[in-house]
Amino acid sequence: MALPQLYQAVKSESPSTRISSGRGSAEDTKPQRQGTILTIEVLICAAISFMCVVNMIACVVDFSSHSKPFYRSYQFKLSNSWLGHGILLDNSDGQYADFRRNLNILIPLLLLHVGLSNAVQQYSLANFEANDPHFQRPRVWLSFAFSTLFFLIYNGLSGFLKLVLVLGLNFALAKMLRGSRMAPFATWAYGLTVLIGTHYFKGFEFAWISPVLKGLDSMAGMNNGWYDPLRFCFLRMISFNFDYYWRCGDPSNEKAKLQTHMDLCNECSRVEPFSQCTKSRMQIPQPTNDYNIVSYFTYTLYLPLYLAGPIISFNDFHAQMKRRPVATNPSKQIRYILRWIVNLAIMETFMHVAYVIAIAGTGKVWMQGEFSAFQVACLGFFNLKHIWLKLLVIWRFFRMWALLDGIETVENMNRCMTNNYSAGGFWRSWHRSFNRWIIRYIYVPLGGSKMYILNLIFSFTFVAIWHDLGECLYISISCTEVLY
C-alpha cells in the first residue's frame, strides 16, 4: 500500500472518526472545557519576572551614570557618540568596535556584490533553462572573480597567494585520496596542522620555502593578518573534502535520491521544481564533476560568509548556486533587513546607557568592594547579554548579505540566550551553524550516540582548539562537558 493510502486508512480508523450512534454517543460528543495558560499563578510569575528585569536594567543604568564617584576610573574607555558632543558610549569591545567601524566599507561592498550577482542571475534566468548545466556558471564565475579581486586588495599579493596555497593543497589532497579510507584522517591532519600552525607562527613566510620567494612577503595589503579567518576556512575545507569523500563512496544517482527524499519530505516544495529543503541540500550529493577547483574556491572564498559565517556545507552551498531557495524571496529579505536594523538600534541603545564592558574591563570598581553583590551579578549578566547581542548583530549582517545574494544559511542565534532551560539547549541555540557542522563532520562520523562519551570529548576538545588554544578555554570546555 502506498504511503498516502496508508495514511488515509490509519486516519479513518482514528478514535475521532469512530463515534458511533447509540449508547454513549452523546457523552462522547459533549464539548470539553478548553484549558488556558492565563492562570493566576502564571500572571503572578509574569509580574514578578517583569519587576525583576526592570530592576536589573535600572541597576545597570544607575551604576553607569556619570554622577557616580567611580565614573572617572573607566571614563577613558568610553568614546564620543554620533548623537552629539558630550554624549558618550561604551565601544570598548574590540570585536564589535572593528565591525562597527568598518560598516561604512561593508555596506557599500554588500550593495556592489549583491547588485552584480543579482544582475548575473537575472541574465541566467533569461538565457538558460533552470536544469541547463550552464545555468549556474555565470554566477559561480562572478562570485569567484569578485572574491579573488577583493582578497588581492585586502590581503595583498602575498596574503592572497598564501591563502591560495593553503586551500589549494587541501583540494589536491581531496582529489588525490578521493574515496580512500585515508581521506578523512589526512584531511583532519592537514586541517589541524594549518589551524594550529598558523595560530602559533602568525601565518608563514614564503622565505621559509625558498629565499628566492622572499620578495613576495613584502607585498602585503590592507590586512597583514591574512591567516585570522582561517578558522572559518578550515571548516569549509573539512566540509568540501568530506562531502566529496562521501560522494565518491556513494555511486548512486543523486537525482533518484533527491526524488525519493522529495516524495517523503513535507518541507520540499512540490509546486516549484528543483526546490529543496535545507536537509536535502546538505545530504544529497552533487554530481561528481561539480566538485571541481572553481566550485571549491568559490565556496571557500565566498565573501558574504568568509569573515564570520554562518557556516554552510559545500553540498548546501553548491545546490543553492544552482537554484535560489524559496526563503530568499524579496518579502522575506525585506523583513530580515528590518530585523537587522532593529537589532542594530537595540545594540546602539545598549552601548549608550550601559557601560558594562568598560566597567568590567577596568576591574578597579567591582573588584574593590564598590559594588554590592546584586550589582556584580547584574554586571556579569549584562556582559553576557552584550556578547550575545554583538554576535547577533554581526552574524545577522553577514547572513543578510548572503540572503540578498540568494544563499540561505542557518540562523546562528535563533533565540535569546536567557530563553534556554539547560546547558544542551543553550549550546544548540548559540552558534547553531557551528553546532550543526560538528554534528555532521565529527559527531556522526565518530559513531553518534553509540559513542556518546567519546564524541563529547572529541567535540568539545575541537571546539576549544577552534576558538582559542588558551588554557582558560580548555577549563571552561571541560566544565561544559561535566554539565552535559
mmCIF file of all heavy atoms in Angstrom, residues 143-163:
data_model
loop_
_atom_site.group_PDB
_atom_site.id
_atom_site.type_symbol
_atom_site.label_atom_id
_atom_site.label_comp_id
_atom_site.label_asym_id
_atom_site.label_seq_id
_atom_site.Cartn_x
_atom_site.Cartn_y
_atom_site.Cartn_z
ATOM 1 N N SER A 143 31.131 35.209 -8.678
ATOM 2 C CA SER A 143 31.485 35.101 -7.262
ATOM 3 C C SER A 143 32.974 34.810 -7.100
ATOM 4 O O SER A 143 33.644 35.401 -6.246
ATOM 5 C CB SER A 143 30.649 34.000 -6.599
ATOM 6 O OG SER A 143 30.955 33.902 -5.228
ATOM 7 N N PHE A 144 33.493 33.920 -7.936
ATOM 8 C CA PHE A 144 34.917 33.580 -7.888
ATOM 9 C C PHE A 144 35.779 34.801 -8.216
ATOM 10 O O PHE A 144 36.762 35.097 -7.513
ATOM 11 C CB PHE A 144 35.190 32.445 -8.876
ATOM 12 C CG PHE A 144 36.640 32.070 -9.004
ATOM 13 C CD1 PHE A 144 37.279 31.342 -8.017
ATOM 14 C CD2 PHE A 144 37.372 32.456 -10.129
ATOM 15 C CE1 PHE A 144 38.613 30.995 -8.135
ATOM 16 C CE2 PHE A 144 38.706 32.116 -10.261
ATOM 17 C CZ PHE A 144 39.333 31.386 -9.260
ATOM 18 N N ALA A 145 35.426 35.539 -9.265
ATOM 19 C CA ALA A 145 36.204 36.709 -9.675
ATOM 20 C C ALA A 145 36.115 37.824 -8.636
ATOM 21 O O ALA A 145 37.117 38.484 -8.328
ATOM 22 C CB ALA A 145 35.703 37.210 -11.032
ATOM 23 N N PHE A 146 34.914 38.047 -8.066
ATOM 24 C CA PHE A 146 34.731 39.108 -7.083
ATOM 25 C C PHE A 146 35.559 38.818 -5.839
ATOM 26 O O PHE A 146 36.233 39.714 -5.292
ATOM 27 C CB PHE A 146 33.252 39.228 -6.709
ATOM 28 C CG PHE A 146 32.903 40.506 -6.009
ATOM 29 C CD1 PHE A 146 32.409 41.595 -6.712
ATOM 30 C CD2 PHE A 146 33.063 40.633 -4.636
ATOM 31 C CE1 PHE A 146 32.088 42.780 -6.065
ATOM 32 C CE2 PHE A 146 32.752 41.805 -3.982
ATOM 33 C CZ PHE A 146 32.257 42.891 -4.703
ATOM 34 N N SER A 147 35.530 37.567 -5.366
ATOM 35 C CA SER A 147 36.304 37.191 -4.177
ATOM 36 C C SER A 147 37.796 37.315 -4.444
ATOM 37 O O SER A 147 38.555 37.806 -3.594
ATOM 38 C CB SER A 147 35.963 35.759 -3.755
ATOM 39 O OG SER A 147 34.616 35.648 -3.357
ATOM 40 N N THR A 148 38.232 36.892 -5.639
ATOM 41 C CA THR A 148 39.648 36.980 -5.989
ATOM 42 C C THR A 148 40.126 38.426 -5.971
ATOM 43 O O THR A 148 41.177 38.755 -5.385
ATOM 44 C CB THR A 148 39.897 36.369 -7.376
ATOM 45 O OG1 THR A 148 39.512 34.989 -7.363
ATOM 46 C CG2 THR A 148 41.366 36.478 -7.766
ATOM 47 N N LEU A 149 39.374 39.316 -6.594
ATOM 48 C CA LEU A 149 39.750 40.737 -6.626
ATOM 49 C C LEU A 149 39.762 41.331 -5.225
ATOM 50 O O LEU A 149 40.674 42.082 -4.857
ATOM 51 C CB LEU A 149 38.763 41.499 -7.521
ATOM 52 C CG LEU A 149 39.023 43.004 -7.686
ATOM 53 C CD1 LEU A 149 40.391 43.257 -8.309
ATOM 54 C CD2 LEU A 149 37.932 43.646 -8.529
ATOM 55 N N PHE A 150 38.763 40.979 -4.417
ATOM 56 C CA PHE A 150 38.696 41.528 -3.057
ATOM 57 C C PHE A 150 39.904 41.099 -2.238
ATOM 58 O O PHE A 150 40.539 41.920 -1.563
ATOM 59 C CB PHE A 150 37.407 41.065 -2.368
ATOM 60 C CG PHE A 150 37.350 41.416 -0.902
ATOM 61 C CD1 PHE A 150 36.991 42.686 -0.499
ATOM 62 C CD2 PHE A 150 37.685 40.472 0.071
ATOM 63 C CE1 PHE A 150 36.960 43.024 0.854
ATOM 64 C CE2 PHE A 150 37.649 40.792 1.420
ATOM 65 C CZ PHE A 150 37.275 42.071 1.807
ATOM 66 N N PHE A 151 40.238 39.815 -2.265
ATOM 67 C CA PHE A 151 41.336 39.326 -1.432
ATOM 68 C C PHE A 151 42.695 39.764 -1.950
ATOM 69 O O PHE A 151 43.646 39.866 -1.167
ATOM 70 C CB PHE A 151 41.261 37.802 -1.295
ATOM 71 C CG PHE A 151 40.137 37.349 -0.405
ATOM 72 C CD1 PHE A 151 39.048 36.677 -0.923
ATOM 73 C CD2 PHE A 151 40.158 37.635 0.944
ATOM 74 C CE1 PHE A 151 38.007 36.279 -0.117
ATOM 75 C CE2 PHE A 151 39.128 37.237 1.778
ATOM 76 C CZ PHE A 151 38.037 36.561 1.249
ATOM 77 N N LEU A 152 42.813 40.039 -3.234
ATOM 78 C CA LEU A 152 44.055 40.617 -3.747
ATOM 79 C C LEU A 152 44.282 42.008 -3.167
ATOM 80 O O LEU A 152 45.414 42.389 -2.842
ATOM 81 C CB LEU A 152 44.017 40.677 -5.275
ATOM 82 C CG LEU A 152 44.466 39.428 -6.030
ATOM 83 C CD1 LEU A 152 44.169 39.567 -7.514
ATOM 84 C CD2 LEU A 152 45.960 39.172 -5.803
ATOM 85 N N ILE A 153 43.192 42.777 -3.037
ATOM 86 C CA ILE A 153 43.303 44.128 -2.470
ATOM 87 C C ILE A 153 43.419 44.070 -0.953
ATOM 88 O O ILE A 153 44.250 44.756 -0.346
ATOM 89 C CB ILE A 153 42.079 44.972 -2.881
ATOM 90 C CG1 ILE A 153 42.036 45.131 -4.403
ATOM 91 C CG2 ILE A 153 42.111 46.333 -2.194
ATOM 92 C CD1 ILE A 153 40.762 45.784 -4.923
ATOM 93 N N TYR A 154 42.606 43.230 -0.334
ATOM 94 C CA TYR A 154 42.528 43.182 1.126
ATOM 95 C C TYR A 154 43.771 42.552 1.746
ATOM 96 O O TYR A 154 44.353 43.081 2.700
ATOM 97 C CB TYR A 154 41.279 42.401 1.529
ATOM 98 C CG TYR A 154 41.011 42.357 3.013
ATOM 99 C CD1 TYR A 154 40.794 43.515 3.746
ATOM 100 C CD2 TYR A 154 40.959 41.133 3.688
ATOM 101 C CE1 TYR A 154 40.537 43.469 5.097
ATOM 102 C CE2 TYR A 154 40.694 41.073 5.046
ATOM 103 C CZ TYR A 154 40.489 42.238 5.744
ATOM 104 O OH TYR A 154 40.232 42.190 7.088
ATOM 105 N N ASN A 155 44.209 41.410 1.222
ATOM 106 C CA ASN A 155 45.366 40.714 1.777
ATOM 107 C C ASN A 155 46.663 41.023 1.056
ATOM 108 O O ASN A 155 47.740 40.650 1.541
ATOM 109 C CB ASN A 155 45.142 39.198 1.741
ATOM 110 C CG ASN A 155 44.057 38.741 2.708
ATOM 111 O OD1 ASN A 155 43.814 39.366 3.730
ATOM 112 N ND2 ASN A 155 43.402 37.646 2.383
ATOM 113 N N GLY A 156 46.577 41.702 -0.102
ATOM 114 C CA GLY A 156 47.764 41.916 -0.905
ATOM 115 C C GLY A 156 48.141 40.648 -1.654
ATOM 116 O O GLY A 156 47.600 39.568 -1.399
ATOM 117 N N LEU A 157 49.081 40.759 -2.560
ATOM 118 C CA LEU A 157 49.504 39.596 -3.346
ATOM 119 C C LEU A 157 50.092 38.509 -2.450
ATOM 120 O O LEU A 157 49.826 37.319 -2.640
ATOM 121 C CB LEU A 157 50.528 40.020 -4.402
ATOM 122 C CG LEU A 157 51.040 38.901 -5.324
ATOM 123 C CD1 LEU A 157 49.891 38.311 -6.137
ATOM 124 C CD2 LEU A 157 52.142 39.421 -6.233
ATOM 125 N N SER A 158 50.849 38.927 -1.443
ATOM 126 C CA SER A 158 51.475 37.960 -0.540
ATOM 127 C C SER A 158 50.425 37.157 0.221
ATOM 128 O O SER A 158 50.443 35.920 0.212
ATOM 129 C CB SER A 158 52.396 38.684 0.450
ATOM 130 O OG SER A 158 52.908 37.786 1.417
ATOM 131 N N GLY A 159 49.488 37.849 0.884
ATOM 132 C CA GLY A 159 48.468 37.155 1.659
ATOM 133 C C GLY A 159 47.546 36.319 0.789
ATOM 134 O O GLY A 159 47.136 35.225 1.180
ATOM 135 N N PHE A 160 47.233 36.828 -0.405
ATOM 136 C CA PHE A 160 46.341 36.085 -1.303
ATOM 137 C C PHE A 160 46.991 34.786 -1.771
ATOM 138 O O PHE A 160 46.354 33.724 -1.775
ATOM 139 C CB PHE A 160 45.989 36.961 -2.505
ATOM 140 C CG PHE A 160 45.158 36.257 -3.541
ATOM 141 C CD1 PHE A 160 43.820 35.969 -3.312
ATOM 142 C CD2 PHE A 160 45.720 35.861 -4.752
ATOM 143 C CE1 PHE A 160 43.058 35.312 -4.262
ATOM 144 C CE2 PHE A 160 44.971 35.200 -5.709
ATOM 145 C CZ PHE A 160 43.633 34.924 -5.459
ATOM 146 N N LEU A 161 48.267 34.852 -2.151
ATOM 147 C CA LEU A 161 48.955 33.650 -2.621
ATOM 148 C C LEU A 161 49.120 32.628 -1.492
ATOM 149 O O LEU A 161 49.035 31.413 -1.724
ATOM 150 C CB LEU A 161 50.320 34.015 -3.206
ATOM 151 C CG LEU A 161 50.297 34.791 -4.525
ATOM 152 C CD1 LEU A 161 51.713 35.137 -4.981
ATOM 153 C CD2 LEU A 161 49.581 33.991 -5.615
ATOM 154 N N LYS A 162 49.353 33.102 -0.291
ATOM 155 C CA LYS A 162 49.458 32.187 0.852
ATOM 156 C C LYS A 162 48.125 31.493 1.113
ATOM 157 O O LYS A 162 48.078 30.289 1.399
ATOM 158 C CB LYS A 162 49.915 32.952 2.088
ATOM 159 C CG LYS A 162 51.362 33.426 2.028
ATOM 160 C CD LYS A 162 51.700 34.347 3.177
ATOM 161 C CE LYS A 162 53.143 34.861 3.049
ATOM 162 N NZ LYS A 162 53.487 35.840 4.100
ATOM 163 N N LEU A 163 47.049 32.265 1.018
ATOM 164 C CA LEU A 163 45.712 31.692 1.207
ATOM 165 C C LEU A 163 45.401 30.663 0.127
ATOM 166 O O LEU A 163 44.887 29.572 0.413
ATOM 167 C CB LEU A 163 44.679 32.822 1.194
ATOM 168 C CG LEU A 163 43.226 32.453 1.473
ATOM 169 C CD1 LEU A 163 43.078 31.850 2.866
ATOM 170 C CD2 LEU A 163 42.335 33.692 1.345
#
